[in-house]
Amino acid sequence: MATLVDEFSKTIGLEETNMEDDYFNWGKKGGVGEVERVQFYESFTLEGMEYSLYDCAHLYRSGCCETDIGKLVEIYDTEDHEKKIKVVWFFRPSDILNFLGDWKPRRNEILLASGVGQGLSNVNPLEAIVQKCNVVCTSKDVRNPQPYEEELRMASYIFSHNFDVGKRQILENFPDEISGIKVKCFFNKRNNQQLFRLPKFQTNLRDPAGPSNVPSKLELDEATASPVKNKLKESMVGTGEQGCASNEMLRLKLAS
């Protein structure tokens, strides 16, 4: 008797496309790149979960069971139909132990990357996303809508400081822009709040703060991962590119 895996391995073309459509769908379109022909999007649906521009998400970290946390600041489809996301990273306190100084993090507190340098942001395959993450800003900055008590209770993580990757300093004051994006986009949103900015049209989609990386090892729960997702992950691993969804190159430097 043929197994489910055997049956799936025989499905190609239309059948596989239908399964992938159930796994992923693009949402509302944004602009179009003027030099590199890419289509920007404001949202997409991945395994039944809708993601929008400036949402936070867990992403795979190569060779580690712990995920990375980042904010989606660009979502686009390349001319070769490669799904890409640009991510501005958050740091866990354990990522920057040598630079904590007297700062004492609260429970589940992380830091938003800022400044200029390796570890601020990079471009990753959209399939590197694990799941959506609820990050709430508790900064008293006047530009930040203060969170409700319910929002704080539901938060997976909170942040009130940023870590300047160039100066390697923890800062309480936030700059006006981070990675060319108005800082309001990183603060709390309200349901009736419009997007502050669509992605700028870029001439070079490889972010100067970090190369476009592909996870070198993706941990999957074989019992629950969808066949299409496994297939997409395997194709990513097979590219032979060095790197992962994390900013671990910076971590190596910070640990030295």
Side-chain angles (χ1 to χ4, degrees), residues 61-120:
R61 180 186 294 189
S62 178
C64 183
C65 60
E66 190 176 57
T67 59
D68 284 309
I69 306 164
K71 184 174 283 283
L72 312 181
V73 297
E74 285 182 1
I75 305 165
Y76 59 91
D77 191 24
T78 71
E79 193 172 12
D80 296 328
H81 301 294
E82 294 177 321
K83 306 175 186 71
K84 297 287 187 178
I85 50 173
K86 180 180 175 182
V87 178
V88 171
W89 298 109
F90 288 94
F91 289 94
R92 290 182 172 90
S94 59
D95 296 329
I96 53 171
L97 284 175
N98 293 345
F99 302 94
L100 294 182
D102 296 330
W103 181 69
K104 303 296 183 183
R106 291 174 287 174
R107 189 178 74 86
N108 291 343
E109 187 165 10
I110 55 180
L111 302 101
L112 178 65
S114 65
V116 178
Q118 184 70 37
L120 173 66

Side-chain angles (χ1 to χ4, degrees), residues 137-153:
C137 182
T138 59
S139 170
K140 299 302 182 182
D141 191 300
V142 294
R143 297 166 293 183
N144 178 46
Q146 292 304 296
Y148 302 126
E149 288 297 326
E150 183 179 0
E151 290 177 300
L152 291 173
R153 286 195 300 269

Side-chain angles (χ1 to χ4, degrees), residues 3 13-14 25-26 29 44 46 57 74 97 103 106 116 120 155 166 170 174 195 199 215 220 229 242:
T3 66
L14 180 59
N25 283 289
W26 286 117
K29 288 184 178 181
F44 61 90
L46 181 66
E74 285 182 1
L97 284 175
W103 181 69
R106 291 174 287 174
V116 178
L120 173 66
I170 295 175
F174 286 81
L195 294 178
L220 292 174
K229 188 169 184 177
Q242 183 68 30

Side-chain angles (χ1 to χ4, degrees), residues 102-222:
D102 296 330
W103 181 69
K104 303 296 183 183
R106 291 174 287 174
R107 189 178 74 86
N108 291 343
E109 187 165 10
I110 55 180
L111 302 101
L112 178 65
S114 65
V116 178
Q118 184 70 37
L120 173 66
S121 63
N122 63 7
V123 175
N124 291 274
L126 184 146
E127 292 86 359
I129 292 175
V130 178
Q131 64 182 14
K132 189 180 288 190
C133 182
N134 184 17
V135 180
V136 172
C137 182
T138 59
S139 170
K140 299 302 182 182
D141 191 300
V142 294
R143 297 166 293 183
N144 178 46
Q146 292 304 296
Y148 302 126
E149 288 297 326
E150 183 179 0
E151 290 177 300
L152 291 173
R153 286 195 300 269
M154 296 177 61
S156 303
Y157 300 95
I158 60 172
F159 75 98
S160 60
H161 292 67
N162 60 100
F163 181 75
D164 189 305
V165 297
K167 298 177 181 178
R168 299 188 178 183
Q169 293 178 352
I170 295 175
L171 305 174
E172 184 174 4
N173 295 326
F174 286 81
D176 292 334
E177 293 188 353
I178 296 176
S179 193
I181 300 166
K182 292 184 182 299
V183 73
K184 287 185 179 180
C185 297
F186 297 91
F187 289 151
N188 301 323
K189 294 188 293 186
R190 292 291 174 248
N191 291 335
N192 61 349
Q193 183 175 334
Q194 299 296 316
L195 294 178
F196 288 98
R197 146 192 189 278
L198 291 177
K200 294 179 181 178
F201 299 149
Q202 299 184 8
T203 57
N204 181 6
L205 292 173
R206 290 183 178 272
D207 190 78
S212 177
N213 291 333
V214 175
S216 58
K217 181 180 179 183
L218 302 175
E219 299 296 334
L220 292 174
D221 183 348
E222 298 296 339

